[in-house]
Amino acid sequence: MDVTRTVGLDRNDAIAAAKSIYSLVLLLLLWEFVAQYDMVHSYFLPPLSDVLATFYELTADGTMLEHAYLTFRRAMAGLLLACLLGIVVGVLAARNRIMGWFWDPIIEVGYPVPVIALVPVFMFWFGTGDLPKIMLVAVGCFWPVAINARNATREVDENLVWSARMMGTSDRRLLRRVVVPAAAPGIISGVQIALPIALIVTFVFEMVAGGGGLGHLEIQGVRSFESAQVYASLIAIMIVGFTLDRGLRYLRGRLLAWT
């Protein structure tokens, strides 16, 4: 193995990684500079060093991890439910005329509705526990998953379908072996769109209704005038979102390696 070539590749990878985050580093340095020299009152913008210290303290004593787990669990449970329902509804609406007739108007009307506006309604119906949070996440994520599944299924190359039918493939096997794999890139794109929606809905619901979670931790910081805790909570939700997004991208690459 050429050691020189390997070192060159490692150096290029490091340079590429540095270029990808340089703007973020500059923004963080600017944040620290502005806060340290009192250009903005510390209540509104505490120094980044104070925020990181608070983040470390909350993580070390388990508070941040506990709230992050609650947010993660609620968001993922709602997203999983939305994926199960949305993919089934979207594929069937594309392949079955009666299902399409029934679901198309519902999908088109429901998608533009701002799901955050339903938070008071779900609190009124189901209370403030885990159930309403998970259900609202499922409602908010259902639309992009269903729409992408439906559109991707409708765009499947008919030549694939005809070829499979000519070989005697049954409708059930056709759907499982041909249609769904061909529509998989579009379906996974819908899941990628739904992922940040799941986190946003969960975070906002926790801010409004309480019951733990990163949204609740942030609003606690506002009420107790602990601005560093507010920003630490924001950093935590960004870390959770970034990690889940990268995980989903990796999973997409593995599942769609054949494309």
Side-chain angles (χ1 to χ4, degrees):
M1 184 175 181
D2 191 341
V3 176
T4 305
R5 183 183 225 175
T6 303
V7 171
L9 288 174
D10 291 341
R11 185 179 302 164
N12 291 335
D13 291 341
I15 293 173
K19 287 181 178 179
S20 67
I21 64 170
Y22 76 92
S23 58
L24 178 60
V25 173
L26 290 176
L27 183 61
L28 294 177
L29 290 175
L30 179 62
W31 176 359
E32 181 71 11
F33 176 81
V34 168
Q36 287 289 355
Y37 286 90
D38 294 326
M39 296 180 184
V40 179
H41 194 281
S42 60
Y43 175 74
F44 300 107
L45 187 68
L48 177 61
S49 53
D50 291 353
V51 173
L52 294 179
T54 301
F55 182 90
Y56 174 78
E57 292 171 4
L58 292 173
T59 303
D61 66 14
T63 301
M64 186 69 75
L65 296 177
E66 179 184 355
H67 288 284
Y69 169 72
L70 288 173
T71 299
F72 170 82
R73 186 185 69 188
R74 292 160 178 166
M76 291 302 99
L79 179 61
L80 178 61
L81 183 59
C83 289
L84 293 175
L85 296 176
I87 292 172
V88 171
V89 168
V91 172
L92 292 180
R95 299 298 301 177
N96 184 280
R97 184 174 300 176
I98 295 177
M99 288 290 291
W101 169 83
F102 179 79
W103 280 106
D104 279 350
I106 296 175
I107 292 174
E108 297 300 334
V109 171
Y111 181 61
V113 175
V115 69
I116 299 301
L118 299 177
V119 169
V121 176
F122 275 66
M123 289 176 61
F124 182 71
W125 285 355
F126 306 109
T128 59
D130 282 356
L131 179 62
K133 297 179 177 72
I134 293 172
M135 291 181 64
L136 189 58
V137 169
V139 170
C141 295
F142 170 82
W143 310 112
V145 173
I147 286 177
N148 277 270
R150 182 196 63 183
N151 294 345
T153 303
R154 285 176 176 172
E155 293 171 2
V156 171
D157 189 352
E158 286 297 326
N159 290 326
L160 294 175
V161 177
W162 293 337
S163 298
R165 288 193 183 280
M166 289 178 64
M167 297 174 66
T169 306
S170 65
D171 288 342
R172 182 174 297 180
R173 287 176 62 86
L174 177 69
L175 197 64
R176 188 174 70 252
R177 296 293 183 87
V178 178
V179 175
V180 172
I187 293 174
I188 296 178
S189 294
V191 178
Q192 287 181 295
I193 295 171
L195 175 60
I197 296 176
L199 293 174
I200 291 169
V201 172
T202 305
F203 196 74
V204 172
F205 210 141
E206 290 169 348
M207 291 176 65
V208 175
L214 292 175
H216 177 65
L217 186 64
E218 181 186 14
I219 209 67
Q220 273 188 329
V222 173
R223 291 169 179 165
S224 60
F225 302 100
E226 295 286 345
S227 58
Q229 180 175 313
V230 174
Y231 286 94
S233 303
L234 289 174
I235 290 175
I237 194 66
M238 285 191 288
I239 292 173
V240 171
F242 180 81
T243 303
L244 290 175
D245 178 70
R246 292 297 166 176
L248 186 55
R249 288 176 184 233
Y250 173 79
L251 183 62
R252 179 191 179 106
R254 295 298 296 265
L255 293 176
L256 304 180
W258 51 269
T259 58

